[in-house]
PDB file of all heavy atoms in Angstrom:
ATOM      1  N   ASP J 103     -25.013 -35.492  -0.478  1.00  0.00           N
ATOM      2  CA  ASP J 103     -25.886 -35.546  -1.680  1.00  0.00           C
ATOM      3  C   ASP J 103     -25.252 -36.437  -2.677  1.00  0.00           C
ATOM      4  O   ASP J 103     -24.399 -35.978  -3.431  1.00  0.00           O
ATOM      5  CB  ASP J 103     -26.175 -34.124  -2.276  1.00  0.00           C
ATOM      6  CG  ASP J 103     -27.157 -34.068  -3.382  1.00  0.00           C
ATOM      7  OD1 ASP J 103     -27.968 -35.057  -3.538  1.00  0.00           O
ATOM      8  OD2 ASP J 103     -27.132 -33.255  -4.189  1.00  0.00           O
ATOM      9  N   THR J 109     -28.918 -34.157 -14.306  1.00  0.00           N
ATOM     10  CA  THR J 109     -30.222 -34.095 -14.875  1.00  0.00           C
ATOM     11  C   THR J 109     -30.176 -34.324 -16.311  1.00  0.00           C
ATOM     12  O   THR J 109     -31.051 -34.771 -16.959  1.00  0.00           O
ATOM     13  CB  THR J 109     -30.849 -32.609 -14.617  1.00  0.00           C
ATOM     14  OG1 THR J 109     -30.803 -32.365 -13.270  1.00  0.00           O
ATOM     15  CG2 THR J 109     -32.341 -32.454 -15.049  1.00  0.00           C
ATOM     16  N   ASN J 136     -32.238 -38.631  -4.581  1.00  0.00           N
ATOM     17  CA  ASN J 136     -33.503 -38.618  -5.122  1.00  0.00           C
ATOM     18  C   ASN J 136     -33.955 -40.079  -5.231  1.00  0.00           C
ATOM     19  O   ASN J 136     -33.200 -40.975  -4.990  1.00  0.00           O
ATOM     20  CB  ASN J 136     -33.602 -37.923  -6.529  1.00  0.00           C
ATOM     21  CG  ASN J 136     -32.728 -38.477  -7.551  1.00  0.00           C
ATOM     22  OD1 ASN J 136     -32.560 -39.811  -7.578  1.00  0.00           O
ATOM     23  ND2 ASN J 136     -32.155 -37.710  -8.400  1.00  0.00           N
ATOM     24  N   GLU J 139     -31.767 -42.291  -7.425  1.00  0.00           N
ATOM     25  CA  GLU J 139     -30.447 -42.653  -6.776  1.00  0.00           C
ATOM     26  C   GLU J 139     -30.596 -43.516  -5.519  1.00  0.00           C
ATOM     27  O   GLU J 139     -29.779 -44.421  -5.344  1.00  0.00           O
ATOM     28  CB  GLU J 139     -29.880 -41.230  -6.373  1.00  0.00           C
ATOM     29  CG  GLU J 139     -29.404 -40.353  -7.471  1.00  0.00           C
ATOM     30  CD  GLU J 139     -29.226 -38.921  -7.138  1.00  0.00           C
ATOM     31  OE1 GLU J 139     -29.825 -38.464  -6.081  1.00  0.00           O
ATOM     32  OE2 GLU J 139     -28.514 -38.146  -7.834  1.00  0.00           O
ATOM     33  N   THR J 165     -35.651 -37.867  -1.809  1.00  0.00           N
ATOM     34  CA  THR J 165     -36.241 -36.619  -2.313  1.00  0.00           C
ATOM     35  C   THR J 165     -37.091 -36.835  -3.432  1.00  0.00           C
ATOM     36  O   THR J 165     -36.906 -37.764  -4.264  1.00  0.00           O
ATOM     37  CB  THR J 165     -35.208 -35.515  -2.588  1.00  0.00           C
ATOM     38  OG1 THR J 165     -34.473 -35.932  -3.698  1.00  0.00           O
ATOM     39  CG2 THR J 165     -34.306 -35.299  -1.417  1.00  0.00           C
ATOM     40  N   GLY J 166     -38.108 -36.019  -3.600  1.00  0.00           N
ATOM     41  CA  GLY J 166     -39.042 -35.919  -4.701  1.00  0.00           C
ATOM     42  C   GLY J 166     -40.074 -34.802  -4.481  1.00  0.00           C
ATOM     43  O   GLY J 166     -39.739 -33.874  -3.585  1.00  0.00           O
ATOM     44  N   THR J 167     -41.167 -34.770  -5.062  1.00  0.00           N
ATOM     45  CA  THR J 167     -42.156 -33.698  -4.839  1.00  0.00           C
ATOM     46  C   THR J 167     -42.470 -33.814  -3.248  1.00  0.00           C
ATOM     47  O   THR J 167     -42.359 -32.699  -2.655  1.00  0.00           O
ATOM     48  CB  THR J 167     -43.414 -33.891  -5.587  1.00  0.00           C
ATOM     49  OG1 THR J 167     -43.191 -33.819  -7.069  1.00  0.00           O
ATOM     50  CG2 THR J 167     -44.462 -32.849  -5.313  1.00  0.00           C
ATOM     51  N   ASN J 168     -42.681 -34.970  -2.662  1.00  0.00           N
ATOM     52  CA  ASN J 168     -42.689 -35.144  -1.280  1.00  0.00           C
ATOM     53  C   ASN J 168     -41.517 -35.857  -0.900  1.00  0.00           C
ATOM     54  O   ASN J 168     -41.043 -36.794  -1.613  1.00  0.00           O
ATOM     55  CB  ASN J 168     -44.002 -35.992  -0.891  1.00  0.00           C
ATOM     56  CG  ASN J 168     -45.349 -35.299  -1.326  1.00  0.00           C
ATOM     57  OD1 ASN J 168     -45.320 -34.032  -1.281  1.00  0.00           O
ATOM     58  ND2 ASN J 168     -46.220 -36.037  -1.731  1.00  0.00           N
ATOM     59  N   ASP J 169     -40.805 -35.470   0.321  1.00  0.00           N
ATOM     60  CA  ASP J 169     -39.626 -36.127   0.624  1.00  0.00           C
ATOM     61  C   ASP J 169     -39.833 -37.030   1.806  1.00  0.00           C
ATOM     62  O   ASP J 169     -40.588 -36.656   2.752  1.00  0.00           O
ATOM     63  CB  ASP J 169     -38.500 -35.093   0.987  1.00  0.00           C
ATOM     64  CG  ASP J 169     -38.516 -33.989  -0.017  1.00  0.00           C
ATOM     65  OD1 ASP J 169     -38.132 -34.289  -1.211  1.00  0.00           O
ATOM     66  OD2 ASP J 169     -38.833 -32.832   0.293  1.00  0.00           O
ATOM     67  N   LYS J 186     -44.797 -28.683  -2.950  1.00  0.00           N
ATOM     68  CA  LYS J 186     -45.588 -28.186  -4.128  1.00  0.00           C
ATOM     69  C   LYS J 186     -44.714 -28.241  -5.389  1.00  0.00           C
ATOM     70  O   LYS J 186     -43.598 -27.849  -5.471  1.00  0.00           O
ATOM     71  CB  LYS J 186     -45.921 -26.794  -3.806  1.00  0.00           C
ATOM     72  CG  LYS J 186     -46.803 -26.457  -2.608  1.00  0.00           C
ATOM     73  CD  LYS J 186     -47.003 -24.835  -2.392  1.00  0.00           C
ATOM     74  CE  LYS J 186     -47.596 -24.681  -1.131  1.00  0.00           C
ATOM     75  NZ  LYS J 186     -47.479 -23.241  -0.624  1.00  0.00           N
ATOM     76  N   LYS J 187     -45.315 -28.875  -6.456  1.00  0.00           N
ATOM     77  CA  LYS J 187     -44.502 -29.103  -7.683  1.00  0.00           C
ATOM     78  C   LYS J 187     -44.807 -27.827  -8.551  1.00  0.00           C
ATOM     79  O   LYS J 187     -45.900 -27.625  -8.979  1.00  0.00           O
ATOM     80  CB  LYS J 187     -44.849 -30.419  -8.350  1.00  0.00           C
ATOM     81  CG  LYS J 187     -44.107 -30.672  -9.619  1.00  0.00           C
ATOM     82  CD  LYS J 187     -42.715 -31.140  -9.370  1.00  0.00           C
ATOM     83  CE  LYS J 187     -42.072 -31.556 -10.652  1.00  0.00           C
ATOM     84  NZ  LYS J 187     -40.541 -31.709 -10.451  1.00  0.00           N
ATOM     85  N   ILE J 188     -43.694 -27.184  -8.902  1.00  0.00           N
ATOM     86  CA  ILE J 188     -43.826 -26.075  -9.971  1.00  0.00           C
ATOM     87  C   ILE J 188     -43.483 -26.709 -11.348  1.00  0.00           C
ATOM     88  O   ILE J 188     -42.459 -27.455 -11.445  1.00  0.00           O
ATOM     89  CB  ILE J 188     -42.859 -25.064  -9.731  1.00  0.00           C
ATOM     90  CG1 ILE J 188     -42.963 -24.431  -8.319  1.00  0.00           C
ATOM     91  CG2 ILE J 188     -42.847 -23.961 -10.755  1.00  0.00           C
ATOM     92  CD1 ILE J 188     -44.285 -23.553  -8.096  1.00  0.00           C
ATOM     93  N   ASP J 189     -44.261 -26.371 -12.375  1.00  0.00           N
ATOM     94  CA  ASP J 189     -44.115 -27.027 -13.653  1.00  0.00           C
ATOM     95  C   ASP J 189     -42.865 -26.493 -14.316  1.00  0.00           C
ATOM     96  O   ASP J 189     -42.904 -25.540 -15.260  1.00  0.00           O
ATOM     97  CB  ASP J 189     -45.366 -26.820 -14.514  1.00  0.00           C
ATOM     98  CG  ASP J 189     -45.161 -27.588 -15.888  1.00  0.00           C
ATOM     99  OD1 ASP J 189     -44.351 -28.459 -15.990  1.00  0.00           O
ATOM    100  OD2 ASP J 189     -45.816 -27.151 -16.846  1.00  0.00           O
ATOM    101  N   LYS J 190     -41.668 -26.790 -14.001  1.00  0.00           N
ATOM    102  CA  LYS J 190     -40.432 -26.304 -14.280  1.00  0.00           C
ATOM    103  C   LYS J 190     -39.178 -27.190 -14.075  1.00  0.00           C
ATOM    104  O   LYS J 190     -39.315 -27.770 -12.831  1.00  0.00           O
ATOM    105  CB  LYS J 190     -40.165 -24.887 -13.662  1.00  0.00           C
ATOM    106  CG  LYS J 190     -39.312 -23.957 -14.419  1.00  0.00           C
ATOM    107  CD  LYS J 190     -38.963 -22.767 -13.492  1.00  0.00           C
ATOM    108  CE  LYS J 190     -39.991 -21.662 -13.466  1.00  0.00           C
ATOM    109  NZ  LYS J 190     -39.553 -20.479 -12.642  1.00  0.00           N
ATOM    110  N   GLU J 191     -38.422 -27.578 -14.959  1.00  0.00           N
ATOM    111  CA  GLU J 191     -37.141 -28.439 -14.745  1.00  0.00           C
ATOM    112  C   GLU J 191     -36.049 -27.555 -14.431  1.00  0.00           C
ATOM    113  O   GLU J 191     -35.619 -26.865 -15.361  1.00  0.00           O
ATOM    114  CB  GLU J 191     -37.149 -29.335 -15.904  1.00  0.00           C
ATOM    115  CG  GLU J 191     -35.784 -30.394 -15.700  1.00  0.00           C
ATOM    116  CD  GLU J 191     -36.038 -31.432 -14.703  1.00  0.00           C
ATOM    117  OE1 GLU J 191     -37.184 -31.992 -14.791  1.00  0.00           O
ATOM    118  OE2 GLU J 191     -35.176 -31.657 -13.848  1.00  0.00           O
ATOM    119  N   VAL J 192     -35.540 -27.620 -13.207  1.00  0.00           N
ATOM    120  CA  VAL J 192     -34.512 -26.633 -12.727  1.00  0.00           C
ATOM    121  C   VAL J 192     -33.256 -27.394 -12.471  1.00  0.00           C
ATOM    122  O   VAL J 192     -33.276 -28.411 -11.685  1.00  0.00           O
ATOM    123  CB  VAL J 192     -35.013 -25.716 -11.577  1.00  0.00           C
ATOM    124  CG1 VAL J 192     -33.826 -24.877 -11.034  1.00  0.00           C
ATOM    125  CG2 VAL J 192     -36.301 -24.936 -12.047  1.00  0.00           C
ATOM    126  N   THR J 195     -31.398 -28.378  -8.279  1.00  0.00           N
ATOM    127  CA  THR J 195     -32.340 -28.375  -7.127  1.00  0.00           C
ATOM    128  C   THR J 195     -31.937 -29.334  -5.950  1.00  0.00           C
ATOM    129  O   THR J 195     -31.986 -28.970  -4.784  1.00  0.00           O
ATOM    130  CB  THR J 195     -33.824 -28.769  -7.600  1.00  0.00           C
ATOM    131  OG1 THR J 195     -33.747 -30.011  -8.221  1.00  0.00           O
ATOM    132  CG2 THR J 195     -34.501 -27.676  -8.249  1.00  0.00           C
ATOM    133  N   GLY J 196     -31.282 -30.429  -6.455  1.00  0.00           N
ATOM    134  CA  GLY J 196     -30.817 -31.355  -5.363  1.00  0.00           C
ATOM    135  C   GLY J 196     -29.715 -30.758  -4.610  1.00  0.00           C
ATOM    136  O   GLY J 196     -29.547 -30.917  -3.338  1.00  0.00           O
ATOM    137  N   PHE J 199     -31.201 -28.088  -2.301  1.00  0.00           N
ATOM    138  CA  PHE J 199     -31.938 -28.658  -1.235  1.00  0.00           C
ATOM    139  C   PHE J 199     -31.118 -29.213  -0.132  1.00  0.00           C
ATOM    140  O   PHE J 199     -31.207 -28.897   1.073  1.00  0.00           O
ATOM    141  CB  PHE J 199     -32.963 -29.727  -1.661  1.00  0.00           C
ATOM    142  CG  PHE J 199     -33.884 -30.219  -0.715  1.00  0.00           C
ATOM    143  CD1 PHE J 199     -34.517 -29.348   0.189  1.00  0.00           C
ATOM    144  CD2 PHE J 199     -34.294 -31.502  -0.744  1.00  0.00           C
ATOM    145  CE1 PHE J 199     -35.500 -29.797   1.097  1.00  0.00           C
ATOM    146  CE2 PHE J 199     -35.317 -32.016   0.095  1.00  0.00           C
ATOM    147  CZ  PHE J 199     -35.879 -31.242   0.988  1.00  0.00           C
ATOM    148  N   LYS J 221     -36.996 -27.023   2.345  1.00  0.00           N
ATOM    149  CA  LYS J 221     -37.985 -27.227   1.317  1.00  0.00           C
ATOM    150  C   LYS J 221     -38.520 -25.937   0.778  1.00  0.00           C
ATOM    151  O   LYS J 221     -38.703 -25.682  -0.346  1.00  0.00           O
ATOM    152  CB  LYS J 221     -39.227 -28.003   1.906  1.00  0.00           C
ATOM    153  CG  LYS J 221     -40.147 -28.679   0.903  1.00  0.00           C
ATOM    154  CD  LYS J 221     -39.548 -29.796   0.275  1.00  0.00           C
ATOM    155  CE  LYS J 221     -40.595 -30.527  -0.632  1.00  0.00           C
ATOM    156  NZ  LYS J 221     -40.075 -31.488  -1.486  1.00  0.00           N
ATOM    157  N   VAL J 224     -35.722 -24.490  -1.569  1.00  0.00           N
ATOM    158  CA  VAL J 224     -35.485 -25.024  -2.833  1.00  0.00           C
ATOM    159  C   VAL J 224     -36.761 -24.728  -3.717  1.00  0.00           C
ATOM    160  O   VAL J 224     -36.709 -24.461  -4.837  1.00  0.00           O
ATOM    161  CB  VAL J 224     -35.273 -26.513  -2.706  1.00  0.00           C
ATOM    162  CG1 VAL J 224     -36.630 -27.387  -2.312  1.00  0.00           C
ATOM    163  CG2 VAL J 224     -34.757 -27.190  -4.122  1.00  0.00           C
ATOM    164  N   LEU J 225     -37.959 -24.597  -3.081  1.00  0.00           N
ATOM    165  CA  LEU J 225     -39.155 -24.193  -3.888  1.00  0.00           C
ATOM    166  C   LEU J 225     -38.878 -22.745  -4.414  1.00  0.00           C
ATOM    167  O   LEU J 225     -39.245 -22.476  -5.509  1.00  0.00           O
ATOM    168  CB  LEU J 225     -40.379 -24.092  -2.901  1.00  0.00           C
ATOM    169  CG  LEU J 225     -41.644 -23.706  -3.566  1.00  0.00           C
ATOM    170  CD1 LEU J 225     -42.157 -24.596  -4.635  1.00  0.00           C
ATOM    171  CD2 LEU J 225     -42.701 -23.543  -2.487  1.00  0.00           C
ATOM    172  N   VAL J 228     -36.654 -22.679  -7.439  1.00  0.00           N
ATOM    173  CA  VAL J 228     -37.300 -23.064  -8.553  1.00  0.00           C
ATOM    174  C   VAL J 228     -38.243 -21.843  -9.111  1.00  0.00           C
ATOM    175  O   VAL J 228     -38.198 -21.479 -10.287  1.00  0.00           O
ATOM    176  CB  VAL J 228     -38.208 -24.323  -8.362  1.00  0.00           C
ATOM    177  CG1 VAL J 228     -39.080 -24.586  -9.486  1.00  0.00           C
ATOM    178  CG2 VAL J 228     -37.397 -25.461  -8.002  1.00  0.00           C
TER     179      VAL J 228
HETATM  180  N1  LIG M 501     -39.999 -28.103 -10.234  1.00  0.00           N
HETATM  181  C1  LIG M 501     -39.968 -28.209  -8.879  1.00  0.00           C
HETATM  182  N2  LIG M 501     -41.071 -27.590  -8.151  1.00  0.00           N
HETATM  183  C2  LIG M 501     -40.943 -27.705  -6.665  1.00  0.00           C
HETATM  184  N3  LIG M 501     -39.941 -28.361  -6.120  1.00  0.00           N
HETATM  185  C3  LIG M 501     -38.928 -28.949  -6.811  1.00  0.00           C
HETATM  186  C4  LIG M 501     -38.912 -28.924  -8.177  1.00  0.00           C
HETATM  187  N4  LIG M 501     -37.830 -29.559  -8.711  1.00  0.00           N
HETATM  188  C5  LIG M 501     -37.214 -30.046  -7.647  1.00  0.00           C
HETATM  189  N5  LIG M 501     -37.863 -29.699  -6.469  1.00  0.00           N
HETATM  190  C6  LIG M 501     -37.528 -30.007  -5.097  1.00  0.00           C
HETATM  191  O1  LIG M 501     -36.131 -30.043  -4.907  1.00  0.00           O
HETATM  192  C7  LIG M 501     -35.681 -31.129  -4.192  1.00  0.00           C
HETATM  193  C8  LIG M 501     -34.790 -31.988  -4.926  1.00  0.00           C
HETATM  194  O2  LIG M 501     -35.279 -32.382  -6.156  1.00  0.00           O
HETATM  195  P1  LIG M 501     -35.263 -33.867  -6.668  1.00  0.00           P
HETATM  196  O3  LIG M 501     -35.828 -33.840  -8.163  1.00  0.00           O
HETATM  197  O4  LIG M 501     -35.890 -34.684  -5.660  1.00  0.00           O
HETATM  198  O5  LIG M 501     -33.706 -34.137  -6.671  1.00  0.00           O
HETATM  199  P2  LIG M 501     -32.633 -33.964  -7.862  1.00  0.00           P
HETATM  200  O6  LIG M 501     -32.956 -32.615  -8.398  1.00  0.00           O
HETATM  201  O7  LIG M 501     -31.398 -34.149  -7.163  1.00  0.00           O
HETATM  202  O8  LIG M 501     -33.064 -34.942  -8.883  1.00  0.00           O
HETATM  203  C9  LIG M 501     -37.045 -31.910  -3.798  1.00  0.00           C
HETATM  204  O9  LIG M 501     -37.484 -31.576  -2.541  1.00  0.00           O
HETATM  205  C10 LIG M 501     -38.060 -31.384  -4.849  1.00  0.00           C
HETATM  206  O10 LIG M 501     -39.425 -31.389  -4.267  1.00  0.00           O
END
Side-chain angles (χ1 to χ4, degrees):
D103 182 24
T109 305
N136 61 35
E139 289 163 339
T165 67
T167 298
N168 300 324
D169 310 301
K186 300 170 185 167
K187 180 77 175 168
I188 304 289
D189 183 18
K190 204 188 275 184
E191 180 69 46
V192 174
T195 48
F199 191 33
K221 195 74 173 170
V224 73
L225 179 64
V228 171

